[in-house]
Amino acid sequence: MRALLCAICCFILGFNLAVSQISADCRTAIPICADMFIDAETNGSGDIDDFDPMVITQSGCLEKGSVDSANLENNSSWYVFRAGTDGQIGFDIEALPIVQDGVVTSELDFALYGPFDETSGQNFCALMGDGTAQPIRCNYEINDTHHTGIGQNPVDLRMGAPFVVGSQNTYDEYIDVIAGEIYYLFINNWNTNANGDPEPYQIRFTGSSVVADQDTALDCTLRDEFLGLDIIACEGDPDIVLSALNSPAGPNIANITWEYDADDDGTYETVLATGAGQTEWTVTSPNSGRYRVTIETTFATIITDDILITFYATPTAADFDIVVLDDLVNSNQTDPYNVEFVPLGDGNYEYALNGGEYQDDPVFMDVPPGMNSVVINDTNGCGTSQPIEFLVVGYPKFFTPNADNFHDFWNVYGVDQLTNPRIFIFDRFGKLLKEFPTSSLGWDGTFNGRDMPSSDYWFRLDYDRDDQGVVVARSVRRHFSLVR
């Protein structure tokens, strides 16, 4: 879908190309390449809190900035790059001088996240924002040389080392990369100048891979995807602003056309806007779909890019079918009982049964009989459902009739869901102890008013079941334990 049709791209994309655009949000991180210097500036905190301020006040070696109202995202910028070859990568971030009262005010920090697998379908921004993915390199040490990054400081020639507070080393170690890996670079400005103006900086890439071949060290085709990687967002999130100004055309724009494919089926049914001044398009929640921009340059060339934006909502019970695979109603298997949670739409979820740990697998084996509850979490970071209750028709393997209001009676849970049920209780010698109506609480562990001893007991459950339109008589014989 993404294409770059430009006969003079080598001219437009030449070495030392300056990129003046920035993105203060992870979801619109700007793709970059090693064959270019990046000129940018710290300017604002973005439209969305990439780092949940209620959860992340310190992440790896990142810390909250000097502005009390800001979290980690104090005058922040986001970039994304893809490794083009196996090898070693570093970078140098230089704070360009803005002097106030004789002092350079910039104090740049960074964090590098990855490696990520672009084919995994994960929401990388959510993983970083909730602390699931921690920085692999980062630094917020006091910056006397106005340079920070990965590798070697070009001013004092100090080699990078694992971050240690107070070390006065603003560089971390080189990273070893594998072709195809995705990395996100986050930059923030710990200090803020007195008037709040943007403060410029420059990035250049280093390392043995860059020395070997600057054009292949990072995958430069990612830069052609100037709208960025596909975006996963949550319903109710702030607007997403797509920019055509990050394209290889730079300011050399004759006309821009924005189009929309709501179903992502290859048919762009809606022209959203057209004109030389339409450099941005704002996407509001919950308008999922694929957005395409076509740029006609002043060099009579065409540049195009598209991006898929998907909005997800907080999970609710209506979003899932709860399929009881095995219980007394749904199969011939009487123990154990198994359940599957089937999403009715697209989404990425994890499931916690009865207050347990989350698991990615929607199938739960050996589910307890009776009422259960599941909590479903959207792994894109779009919220967690309220507990959703469901019934598994089955019998408990033990009960404790000691009047503590816990397991004081034995019964078949959900027996009212069965047709014409009858329950009989026997001791281990086959003597009938109790036949009780299914509307009762069940057996209290007595016979003729006397407490029966701790032991194994047997039950028989007779009921009718509809088997593909034919009513079939069923009988279940199993044992359980009375524990005193």
Side-chain angles (χ1 to χ4, degrees):
M1 293 291 291
R2 298 174 186 256
L4 177 60
L5 306 175
C6 181
I8 56 172
C9 286
C10 291
F11 172 76
I12 295 176
L13 293 176
F15 181 65
N16 272 357
L17 173 69
V19 176
S20 60
Q21 297 300 306
I22 66 167
S23 175
D25 290 318
C26 173
R27 61 188 184 181
T28 50
I30 295 176
I32 52 176
C33 188
D35 70 346
M36 57 195 290
F37 287 118
I38 298 125
D39 286 326
E41 61 188 18
T42 58
N43 186 13
S45 58
D47 297 318
I48 191 170
D49 282 330
D50 288 299
F51 299 100
D52 184 346
M54 302 302 293
V55 176
I56 307 296
T57 57
Q58 185 167 349
S59 176
C61 69
L62 285 177
E63 67 173 10
K64 181 179 170 69
S66 60
V67 177
D68 289 339
S69 61
N71 61 356
L72 295 181
E73 300 166 80
N74 186 28
N75 286 338
S76 57
S77 305
W78 284 90
Y79 300 95
V80 59
F81 60 86
R82 181 193 292 136
T85 59
D86 298 354
Q88 184 188 73
I89 291 291
F91 52 79
D92 174 61
I93 304 172
E94 179 184 3
L96 302 179
I98 287 184
V99 180
Q100 293 181 351
D101 300 325
V103 178
V104 177
T105 59
S106 290
E107 179 61 57
L108 298 179
D109 308 322
F110 76 90
L112 183 70
Y113 293 85
F116 297 114
D117 178 3
E118 195 172 359
T119 67
S120 67
Q122 292 179 300
N123 185 348
F124 307 138
C125 293
L127 296 177
M128 292 180 276
D130 67 10
T132 300
Q134 290 289 315
I136 60 169
R137 300 286 189 274
C138 51
N139 202 295
Y140 72 85
E141 190 65 352
I142 295 174
N143 195 338
D144 293 331
T145 65
H146 311 301
H147 286 255
T148 187
I150 291 175
Q152 185 178 24
N153 191 323
V155 175
D156 61 13
L157 302 182
R158 189 169 180 179
M159 293 300 300
F163 176 74
V164 176
V165 177
S167 67
Q168 296 185 340
N169 188 356
T170 59
Y171 276 71
D172 210 323
E173 298 175 295
Y174 283 109
I175 57 170
D176 294 320
V177 302
I178 298 174
E181 293 176 337
I182 291 286
Y183 293 85
Y184 279 79
L185 173 60
F186 168 70
I187 300 172
N188 76 341
N189 184 8
W190 193 83
N191 283 326
T192 301
N193 60 38
N195 58 19
D197 287 342
E199 296 176 317
Y201 59 86
Q202 187 177 84
I203 305 173
R204 66 180 181 89
F205 282 89
T206 62
S208 60
S209 291
V210 178
V211 172
D213 192 333
Q214 194 169 37
D215 295 326
T216 62
L218 300 184
D219 183 355
C220 290
T221 62
L222 184 65
R223 181 178 52 198
D224 300 335
E225 303 172 19
F226 54 87
L227 292 181
L229 302 181
D230 291 341
I231 294 174
I232 294 173
C234 302
E235 291 187 6
D237 274 357
D239 295 345
I240 299 172
V241 179
L242 303 177
S243 175
L245 293 177
N246 298 327
S247 81
N252 302 307
I253 295 174
N255 190 60
I256 298 173
T257 300
W258 294 92
E259 298 170 282
Y260 176 50
D261 175 4
D263 298 322
D264 190 27
D265 59 3
T267 301
Y268 288 87
E269 65 275 6
T270 305
V271 175
L272 300 170
T274 186
Q278 300 291 335
T279 57
E280 293 182 342
W281 183 258
T282 299
V283 179
T284 59
S285 168
N287 293 308
S288 297
R290 189 171 292 278
Y291 294 80
R292 180 171 68 184
V293 62
T294 302
I295 302 171
E296 301 173 39
T297 76
T298 55
F299 301 101
T301 57
I302 302 296
I303 300 172
T304 184
D305 190 24
D306 59 82
I307 186 171
L308 178 64
I309 299 178
T310 308
F311 290 94
Y312 292 104
T314 300
T316 67
D319 299 324
F320 298 84
D321 276 340
I322 299 177
V323 180
V324 180
L325 301 173
D326 300 300
D327 72 350
L328 296 178
V329 172
N330 295 284
S331 74
N332 293 324
Q333 182 168 310
T334 59
D335 183 31
Y337 309 117
N338 308 311
V339 176
E340 181 178 9
F341 305 101
V342 181
L344 299 179
D346 295 331
N348 299 300
Y349 304 103
E350 57 184 5
Y351 310 84
L353 184 68
N354 298 327
E357 297 293 325
Y358 282 109
Q359 69 175 47
D360 295 329
D361 190 344
V363 176
F364 283 80
M365 312 298 287
D366 202 9
V367 177
M371 291 302 299
N372 293 268
S373 70
V374 63
V375 172
I376 302 174
N377 179 53
D378 177 83
T379 57
N380 296 306
C382 295
T384 302
S385 73
Q386 295 295 317
I388 303 169
E389 292 190 337
F390 63 94
L391 176 66
V392 171
V393 180
Y395 65 92
K397 296 180 180 180
F398 72 95
F399 78 122
T400 56
N402 55 8
D404 65 353
N405 295 321
F406 294 98
H407 311 296
D408 283 338
F409 294 86
W410 187 94
N411 204 341
V412 175
Y413 298 138
V415 69
D416 56 329
Q417 304 295 309
L418 303 176
T419 302
N420 300 322
R422 291 170 294 168
I423 301 175
F424 307 87
I425 306 295
F426 306 88
D427 67 13
R428 59 195 180 96
F429 302 106
K431 179 180 179 180
L432 178 64
L433 302 178
K434 182 74 172 180
E435 177 184 359
F436 55 88
T438 56
S439 59
S440 73
L441 292 174
W443 185 41
D444 64 0
T446 65
F447 178 65
N448 289 335
R450 295 183 293 108
D451 289 343
M452 298 300 292
S454 297
S455 183
D456 279 352
Y457 293 82
W458 288 82
F459 76 93
R460 189 182 84 221
L461 167 66
D462 296 337
Y463 66 101
D464 297 334
R465 200 179 91 188
D466 189 326
D467 191 355
Q468 297 182 347
V470 178
V471 176
V472 178
R474 292 271 295 150
S475 183
V476 177
R477 300 170 185 266
R478 293 289 187 272
H479 65 89
F480 62 96
S481 297
L482 187 160
V483 180
R484 293 191 184 276

